Amino acid sequence: MSKLLDAVRRHVPLASEDPLDLLAAGRDLWPRDTLALALGQTPPMPELVCWPERHDQVQALLTWAGDAGVPVVPYGAGSGVCGGAVGRPGSVVVDLKRMRQVIGIDREANVVSAEPGLLGQHLEDWLALQGLATRHSPSSIWCSTVGGWAAARSAGQFSSLYGKFEDMVLGMRVATPTGTHHTGMHTPRGHEDLGPLFMGSEGTLGIITQADIRVVPKADQRWLRGYAFRNLETAWAAMQAVMQAELHPAVMRLYCPVDTVVGGRTGDKSAPAQPRLVSRLLSRLGNRAFSALEGLDAVRHRELSTALLTPRLLNRVADRLGGDVMLIIGWEGMPQLVAAQVAAALPLLDAGRDLGAEAGEHWYRHRHAVSYKLAPIFERGGFADTMEVATTWSRLPGLYRAVREALGRHTAVMAHFSHAYPEGCSIYFSFAGAGTLDRYDATWVDALESARRAGGTVTHHHGVGQLKAKAAARELGNALRVYHTRKATLDPGGVMNPGRLFDSLPPTTQGPPPPRAQGPVHTVHHQDLLAEVDPWATPESIEQALAERGLALRMTPDRPLGDWLAAYRPEAFDRHEVPFFGIQARYPDGRAARLGVAPRSAAGPDLRWGLLRDARAEMIEVPLVRLDQPRVCLTLGSEDPWELGRALLRAGLRPSSIQCPEPGQLQLSLCGDAASAQAEHLILEHGAQRVDPSSPAPRAPDLGAAAAGRARATAHHRLSTGDGEGC
Amino acid sequence: MSASYESCSFCPQLCRHLCPVAVASGHEAATPAKMMAAVLLAQRGLIPPRDAARAAALCTNCGACQRHCKYGIQVPALLAEARAHFSSPASVAAIAPIQGAGELVAVQCDGRSWAPALAAALGQPVSVLPTEDHLGDALLEHRSRAAPHLAQLQAVLSGRKAVSCCSRCIQVLEAARVPWVRLDALLAPSWDGPVFLCHGELDFPGHPLDRAPTCCGAHGPLASQHPELAADVARAAAAQLPPSPVAAPDAACRNALRAAGAQVLDPIDLLLDTQPHATT
């Protein structure tokens, strides 16, 4: 037995130096490593693997590792695609899969507590027996863990309604080399909530040993459809309209022309034939080649090899494919609410052709099957990979074209658009090329640079790992000081997953200059419903300036934004209540940092909250609503108004504000195209009464009272105290 | 050897949540994909054959991965092929002569003599085929070497029907294509409770365990080559069982589950208890 094994076993009895265990921990699902394996290379191996079974074992191990200077690599199910969880030479891999228990469930609160090594499908199976679900449904659900979801800011297929995994986690317990931390709803009073920092830290700060996850009852109704649009631009407009009309679809996925054709998704027999024989032949060739790439057909080696070696030609063929693009869209929840949302959405989808329920249900049945399509490409000498970027609606077309062009120089590429937000959307590129490591690396260098230049984030939900470390650091710039300041406290020895995430620092720069604009509102981005505002201006002055443009703040603070945001915990907000989008702030030494290029970036942790603490904000970018949107304000009497509020949120209602202005009373503000129909349902079923929206807004943000109310409401959903539309 | 080792090695491990060994042990090396990858690396001379054989021995032959795989890759058979390729065949005992003239033949593999009790219960003579190595099931992984052995078994059992409640023995009987019947099927209905059948064929009326891994880890090469992981699998299976006793016809399953703390009934016990005068 080696000295290292002996030392580790004092803290974690189950440990191994067996070459089989080391070999297995030397690789995750980073396609570069899969390609290397295909090329006959074995991965570098760690020194040993251990399997803790309890938090105290993890804590003891990390304390020892920090003191001894031994690198530690946390390992879940190894489903990461960026090389973030790979045992490196000299390291101890902490395999968390023996910590796989559901610790407990608070049925009143609808919160389940789980250990990090629990596989996603096993959590869902367990919840299904209770009639519950997280509705976090990544395509990796069979092969990824709860801890990995949190560590890499995972997103599932129903994120538009339920949020990314980070939005579902109400609290965590995290072991670090310097001690244990409790986050979110467990954050000790007066301490910084480190939840946003640990979420997305990819094991570089500590090891998550427990996550408390919001769960929802099984939806009473699901409505799913496919729609064919004549081109991407028309479909993008529809997606944006649906999101900005506050209609909260559970699913919204748009497939590019190639992906639509390959999947045979629109089944459009009435589409006009290609005008020329050459075009028809090209279409047939492209269809065949891309089908081969997707592994949909019995793939012939020569056909696939030809496709992989001639990506430029193939992409040009794809450009000529034309034809429709397919949108999958759906709602779920309480039948009356779903009906209201669908009724409000149908006019916004008018530009598309309804393909019926089967198109949507087909997607639903096969929603996890996409991952099967990768292996055949490696088998036949190529590589396949995916890249998920995101940006605002106004930059989306440019980002799509830039990245597609960059990827297309090296690989055959197709894309779909999913994870939509009122402010923007993510793009998921799938690409395949001839299997050499040089080509693989060149593809990524070009693609990451093109995403940065086009104003997108380099990752929406796959995380950073090794693959995107430099690009993510460049994206975040001076804001990385927030991360490194805390890293120095949590992991002073730098033993946590070294060489991943932000080990490679970009040179510190002066950062962006102070905003030039005068007045409370600096810039308004109408298409994205975002405004850059002065964080120290009064809310009234901001509202007034916005009202002149027909806009209003989505969430109205009761004090200057800088103070208002500083007083709130991030976990106090729900996904549909994004409190702010971007921030520019200046450190005491005069250097500045800016964050917020895209909704829900996974380029490491969410550093916005730390930046608010560490530097003086000089610009906050906030989400807006249009003043001409339908709004309804209601009051509902109830002995337990917070419980009623929770029940409505669980049923899929997404009010723009919800509060208890006085005992026994719940006040809701509904905004968007479905507001009237939803209000009618609440009036009929719950005896709700309309309130004049023009009446003075009850100023809920008494932080103490609101926090008390919220503590009860965290149960299912975190509730905002922002009074949104001011009813 | 098959190209499917590559398919699994490059797959994102889409069956790992169903593998009882990978789930219960938490060992990354025990996922079907990583087992197959170890074989692939050994094929290419990148790791020692011995390691590949040990990796391939992390399988219980439960078949859950194969049933889930979109491509239907026969992982257990491929791992068996790898074990045969990378390890030496086991030596097995010759098939013993049958004792008695009854058409039904009790395959007695765990040292207990239950043929007389079965004869009393059925009211007909039952002969005995004793075996100490489960009819030489270890040879099944070396199919080319197994043929003469199976032919011998065929000849010995010619015109008779074997009775067994051991899945290892039944596997050999199946391979030899001789008629057989499970002991508990002959005795049915002897108990009303849930029955733990081997290799995922769970039969828990009304119990919502249909999606849980149900292998107890007692079969395949796992139990002999990685006994500590086999015990993990048994504990995980036992933890999923209902609190009331479960019947397990298979001796290996039964012993593994009992060692893991589960209450498990035994059809042979039942047979012997209900026919006390036949226990001699």
Side-chain angles (χ1 to χ4, degrees), chain A residues 475-558:
Chain A
E475 180 179 320
L476 300 178
N478 287 345
L480 283 181
R481 195 188 292 191
V482 172
Y483 168 85
H484 283 287
T485 303
R486 287 152 183 80
K487 167 99 172 166
T489 305
L490 300 167
D491 177 27
V495 299
M496 295 306 305
N497 208 6
R500 284 78 198 255
L501 202 59
F502 299 140
D503 254 16
S504 56
L505 275 176
T508 305
T509 64
Q510 196 59 32
R516 285 186 189 166
Q518 300 296 311
V521 176
H522 302 163
T523 312
V524 172
H525 303 283
H526 279 270
Q527 186 181 353
D528 306 324
L529 286 182
L530 290 169
E532 297 172 12
V533 304
D534 179 352
W536 308 109
T538 63
E540 291 76 13
S541 66
I542 294 174
E543 288 283 25
Q544 188 178 347
L546 290 172
E548 289 168 5
R549 305 175 196 218
L551 298 165
L553 293 171
R554 179 184 292 271
M555 297 171 67
T556 307
D558 64 340

Side-chain angles (χ1 to χ4, degrees), chain A residues 14 16 18-21 23-29 34 36-43 51 75-79 95 97-98 100 119 121-122 124-125 128-129 139-144 294-296 368-369 371-376 378-380, chain B residues 3-4 6-19 22-31 33-34 37-38 40-41 44 46-47 50-56 58 68-71 73 208-213 226 229 232 235-236:
Chain A
L14 285 172
S16 165
D18 186 325
L20 287 180
D21 293 320
L23 191 66
R27 187 163 69 91
D28 62 5
L29 292 182
T34 307
L37 177 69
L39 294 171
Q41 300 174 15
T42 49
W51 294 269
Y75 199 102
S79 66
D95 190 327
K97 290 192 289 293
R98 287 182 80 98
R100 60 171 184 273
L119 289 171
Q121 187 61 53
H122 293 171
E124 291 302 328
D125 288 346
L129 295 177
S139 59
S140 65
I141 193 166
W142 294 328
C143 57
S144 55
E294 270 225 330
L296 294 175
H368 298 319
S371 303
Y372 282 114
K373 294 171 181 172
L374 302 177
F378 286 96
E379 255 181 280
R380 285 155 179 78
Chain B
S4 294
E6 284 193 333
S7 304
C8 290
S9 301
F10 305 150
C11 173
Q13 310 219 61
L14 302 174
C15 60
R16 65 173 303 152
H17 65 296
L18 295 168
C19 173
V23 170
S25 71
H27 278 228
E28 191 65 19
T31 65
K34 292 288 171 75
L40 179 68
L41 290 172
R44 294 177 175 181
L46 297 170
I47 66 170
R50 180 180 162 274
D51 283 348
R54 285 195 307 121
L58 287 161
H68 183 69
C69 178
K70 180 185 170 186
Y71 301 118
I73 294 175
L209 279 177
D210 58 330
R211 278 185 288 180
H226 302 276
L229 298 193
D232 280 338
R235 276 192 290 274

Side-chain angles (χ1 to χ4, degrees), chain A residues 350-503:
Chain A
D350 254 356
R353 180 164 48 89
D354 186 355
L355 301 173
E358 178 49 28
E361 294 296 336
H362 179 270
W363 167 81
Y364 192 85
R365 287 193 300 273
H366 298 91
R367 66 191 188 281
H368 298 319
V370 65
S371 303
Y372 282 114
K373 294 171 181 172
L374 302 177
I377 295 175
F378 286 96
E379 255 181 280
R380 285 155 179 78
F383 73 81
D385 205 341
T386 56
M387 179 184 188
E388 20 65 73
V389 296
T391 192
T392 53
W393 289 112
S394 58
R395 291 194 292 253
L396 192 72
L399 179 65
Y400 169 66
R401 289 180 189 114
V403 176
R404 184 171 183 274
E405 201 274 329
L407 288 169
R409 285 197 286 274
H410 311 277
T411 63
V413 58
M414 53 191 176
H416 68 260
F417 303 78
S418 51
H419 312 292
Y421 306 87
E423 304 86 13
C425 188
S426 81
I427 315 173
Y428 195 95
F429 293 96
S430 302
F431 52 96
T436 69
L437 291 172
D438 286 346
R439 179 172 286 209
Y440 181 89
D441 293 338
T443 302
W444 272 101
V445 167
D446 273 7
L448 290 168
E449 178 59 16
S450 70
R452 190 188 68 80
R453 284 175 183 268
T457 179
V458 293
T459 173
H460 174 266
H461 57 270
H462 284 175
V464 175
Q466 300 173 63
L467 174 65
K468 302 174 187 171
K470 285 182 183 164
R474 199 165 173 188
E475 180 179 320
L476 300 178
N478 287 345
L480 283 181
R481 195 188 292 191
V482 172
Y483 168 85
H484 283 287
T485 303
R486 287 152 183 80
K487 167 99 172 166
T489 305
L490 300 167
D491 177 27
V495 299
M496 295 306 305
N497 208 6
R500 284 78 198 255
L501 202 59
F502 299 140
D503 254 16

Side-chain angles (χ1 to χ4, degrees), chain A residues 584-613:
Chain A
Q584 181 171 313
R586 200 159 294 277
Y587 295 105
D589 67 1
R591 296 178 193 276
R594 176 159 185 166
L595 290 171
V597 297
R600 291 297 195 266
S601 164
D606 183 354
L607 301 176
R608 294 176 304 169
W609 298 95
L611 190 58
L612 261 175
R613 292 176 72 98

Side-chain angles (χ1 to χ4, degrees), chain B residues 95-118:
Chain B
I95 302 294
I98 290 178
Q99 302 163 8
E103 184 189 340
L104 285 176
V105 181
V107 181
Q108 295 183 166
C109 63
D110 69 350
R112 287 183 293 175
S113 172
W114 45 269
L118 181 62

Side-chain angles (χ1 to χ4, degrees), chain A residues 198-267:
Chain A
F198 288 127
M199 193 80 66
S201 62
E202 302 188 20
T204 62
L205 300 175
I207 293 180
I208 299 161
T209 59
Q210 177 178 329
D212 304 314
I213 307 154
R214 183 190 72 206
V215 294
V216 294
K218 187 174 180 296
D220 293 332
Q221 185 172 359
R222 183 174 74 228
W223 186 97
L224 266 175
R225 285 288 190 284
Y227 275 82
F229 287 83
R230 66 179 183 277
N231 54 38
L232 284 173
E233 288 75 10
T234 320
W236 286 331
M239 291 173 77
Q240 180 186 330
V242 167
M243 291 310 297
Q244 295 185 346
E246 308 280 338
L247 294 175
H248 305 289
V251 181
M252 194 156 61
R253 303 167 70 85
L254 171 67
Y255 295 88
C256 80
V258 179
D259 212 342
T260 300
V261 169
V262 167
R265 291 186 169 94
T266 61

